[in-house]
């Protein structure tokens, strides 16, 4: 959503903060700003647009060697992207400054109360209300930490904040509630940030703050207290093992391309330690204490929901578990959630911070259902609130468009299906299970070999269809979920309108849209549904619609462009289809000159509703 960083230490603080903001820019880039103490004042410098605009402004400033500072890169929620709405926000008297990620839900009523007390507001943000609320509490509290805590108790909603005060130029305060914030412990320096890469070059020693933690930090000291009673919070520092290289481009043109080509390793990493040495059993100790779900409600958003839709096929056919897939923003507002006895929720989220998915998890737990988390980010909110959590182990996904995360989610869903299959111990399944596991184990090498040719075809076809303003993506069965994902990728990367549709649905209306300027990308693999999908393709062609058909060798399909990928038994064929769809969208966006890693209007983690 937004990225925040606070620093107190021994180095010039502003360059450290700016460097950290660059590593957080994937979280939003509508505006940016920094705050630091200078000559007994609390300087705030902000700029609309990407971080480079702020850097240009800073270049004209005499920046002191302040050793404590904080910064913010914004994805707008309240108030348009503009300098007046950029963070940090200051209290009316300039004594306090704050950076904030999240939403204060009762900010309007607080603003009314504060206005009546004489506070003046210069922005439309909820954040400016929060910093003036702290200032108001400060009038009654000689200790800023207590004033900060008092204000946070009055503010309802989600926040990860850093706060500085003019009178304490070497100290920053921080707090989190339903928004990510990690504390970094260095040698003579301390950090708080929305994500680990922001300070990883300086320290690997971190504390994953909990909701309700409040922090006071200077260069050599810190204390983490509980908001509810200001008693010390119990935390064990953890060591981060992955390195900055893992979060860099490694020579690829974009993070997205790197992450697409990482998928063979991602599959291998997701399987690591989760298959028995004999290769015939799935080891998921995270699920050992749970029974096999009577029914599984898989809840997610966006690409993660497409993974859920794809996983349903395996869970139903391999593990005989009835599955409902739910879009989290719909699920969380349903009356009488259909969670029956023995039902479980499975919430899928790469970031582990998606607000709607987190809310869905909380609702399921409130109804007494076990809520399994499937996340990529260790220590994320969903990971920590889930009844149990499985990590996809995909490494940091920096590109806003999710690619390797979906691949890893699919792999985990396949392993979960085989795990629960084994728990039901049907005799016919054992032999088949070994067969499926052998195929999963062969995927990394198969994909490694297939990706270069796939990329070449994607590049060629993207140029051929680059003038299209509309696209259909069609698929049946497990390929329907992939068609939806292909359409989402094209939409969010190249800004071309694309509709993902069940191929069988075209004749019920959408086919009216088909004409030579409205091409169709049809996924028609060599599987039992192929004849049906082939008919749907012919219906499109009969209306002069152009068709790119993604298929396997030997299907004999005819289309304007036939793209063959290596055959895999359905539904594992999705592991070959997914990268092809990703590469087509990537090449289209790059060819059209779009900002591939940071598409307009998007953010990597949507931590608000
Ligand atoms: C993916 O390409 C999208 N940017 C978006 O749909 C994303 O998948 C969705 O916001 C869910 O994110 P999560 O997996 O972190 O919960």
């Amino acid at each position: 959503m937004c990225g925040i960083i606070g620093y107190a230490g021994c180095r010039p603080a502003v360059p450290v903060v700016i460097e950290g903001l660059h590593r957080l820019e994937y979280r939003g880039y509508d505006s940016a700003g920094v705050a630091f103490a200078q000559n007994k004042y609390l300087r705030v410098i902000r700029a609309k647009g990407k971080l480079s605009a702020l850097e240009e402004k800073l270049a004209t400033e005499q920046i002191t060697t302040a050793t404590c500072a904080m910064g913010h890169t914004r994805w707008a929620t309240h108030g348009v992207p503009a300098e007046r709405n950029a963070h940090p926000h200051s209290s009316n008297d300039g004594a306090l400054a704050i950076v904030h990620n999240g939403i204060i839900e009762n900010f309007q009523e607080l603003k009314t109360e504060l206005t009546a007390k004489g506070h003046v507001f210069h922005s439309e943000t909820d954040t400016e209300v929060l910093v003036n609320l702290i200032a108001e509490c400060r009038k009654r509290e000689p200790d800023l930490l207590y004033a900060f805590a008092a204000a946070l108790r009055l503010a309802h909603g989600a926040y990860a904040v850093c706060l500085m005060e003019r009178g304490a130029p070497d100290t920053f305060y921080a707090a989190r509630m339903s928004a990510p914030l990690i504390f970094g412990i260095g040698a003579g320096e301390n950090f708080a940030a929305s994500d680990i890469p922001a300070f990883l070059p300086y320290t690997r020693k971190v504390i994953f703050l909990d909701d309700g933690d409040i922090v006071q930090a200077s260069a050599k000291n810190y204390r983490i207290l509980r908001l509810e009673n200001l008693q010390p919070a119990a935390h064990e520092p953890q060591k981060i093992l992955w390195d900055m290289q893992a979060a860099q481009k490694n020579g690829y043109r974009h993070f997205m391309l790197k992450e697409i080509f990482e998928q063979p390793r991602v599959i291998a990493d997701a399987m690591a330690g989760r298959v028995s040495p004999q290769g015939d059993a799935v080891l998921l100790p995270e699920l050992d204490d749970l029974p096999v779900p009577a029914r599984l409600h898989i809840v997610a958003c966006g690409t993660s929901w497409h993974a859920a839709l794809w996983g349903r096929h395996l869970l139903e056919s391999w593990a005989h578990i009835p599955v409902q897939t739910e879009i989290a923003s719909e699920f969380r507002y349903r009356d009488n959630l259909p969670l029956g006895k023995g039902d479980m929720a499975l919430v899928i989220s790469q970031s582990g911070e998606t607000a709607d998915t987190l809310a869905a998890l909380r609702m399921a737990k409130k109804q007494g259902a076990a809520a399994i988390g499937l996340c990529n980010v260790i220590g994320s909110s969903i990971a920590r609130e889930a009844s149990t959590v499985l990590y996809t182990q995909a490494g940091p996904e920096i590109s806003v468009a999710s690619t390797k995360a979906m691949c890893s989610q699919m792999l985990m869903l396949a392993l979960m299906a085989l795990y629960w299959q084994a728990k039901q111990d049907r005799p016919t399944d054992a032999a088949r299970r070994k067969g499926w596991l052998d195929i999963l184990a062969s995927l990394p090498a198969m994909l490694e070999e297939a990706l270069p040719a796939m990329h070449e075809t994607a590049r060629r076809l993207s140029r051929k269809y680059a003038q299209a303003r509309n696209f259909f993506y069609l698929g049946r069965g497990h390929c329907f979920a992939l068609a939806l994902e292909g359409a989402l990728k094209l939409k969010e990367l190249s800004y071309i309108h694309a509709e993902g549709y069940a191929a069988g649905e075209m004749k019920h209306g959408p086919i009216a849209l088909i004409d030579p300027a409205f091409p169709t990308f049809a996924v028609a693999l060599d599987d039992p549904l192929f004849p049906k999908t082939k008919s749907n393709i012919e219906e499109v062609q009969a209306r002069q619609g152009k068709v790119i058909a993604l298929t396997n060798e030997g299907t004999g399909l005819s289309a304007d462009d036939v793209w063959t990928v290596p055959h895999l038994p359905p539904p594992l064929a999705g592991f070959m289809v997914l990268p092809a769809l990703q590469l087509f969208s990537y090449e289209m966006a790059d060819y059209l000159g779009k900002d591939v890693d940071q598409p307009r209007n998007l953010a990597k983690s949507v931590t608000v509703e």
Side-chain angles (χ1 to χ4, degrees), residues 300-306 348-355 357 374 382 397 399-403 405 409 485 488-489 492 602-606:
C301 299
T303 289
S304 295
W305 181 67
H306 297 153
I348 302 178
S349 175
Q350 187 284 130
S351 62
E353 300 297 346
T354 300
T357 311
L374 179 58
I382 288 174
E397 183 176 72
S399 183
V400 168
S402 194
T403 51
Q409 291 162 352
E485 175 61 11
L488 174 63
K489 283 283 157 305
E492 66 178 336
L602 298 188
K604 185 60 185 172
S605 177
V606 185

Side-chain angles (χ1 to χ4, degrees), residues 291-357:
V292 175
R295 175 184 296 273
L296 194 63
H297 303 260
I298 316 181
V299 192
C301 299
T303 289
S304 295
W305 181 67
H306 297 153
L309 210 53
W310 179 88
R312 186 185 67 188
H313 292 273
L314 281 73
L315 287 157
E316 289 181 342
S317 61
W318 288 2
H320 317 285
I321 297 171
V323 174
Q324 276 186 235
T325 56
E326 307 266 2
I327 290 174
S329 55
E330 291 297 309
F331 181 81
R332 67 180 293 192
Y333 291 111
R334 284 177 64 173
D335 298 329
N336 308 321
L337 284 183
L339 290 169
K341 184 170 169 20
D343 285 14
M344 287 185 204
L346 168 61
V347 296
I348 302 178
S349 175
Q350 187 284 130
S351 62
E353 300 297 346
T354 300
D356 287 322
T357 311

Side-chain angles (χ1 to χ4, degrees), residues 5 43 56 107 180 186 220 270 276 283 339 381 397 432 515 589:
I5 178 169
R43 288 291 311 280
E56 282 168 26
F107 85 97
K220 292 188 168 51
S276 60
L283 312 171
L339 290 169
S381 301
E397 183 176 72
R432 295 177 65 220
D515 67 25

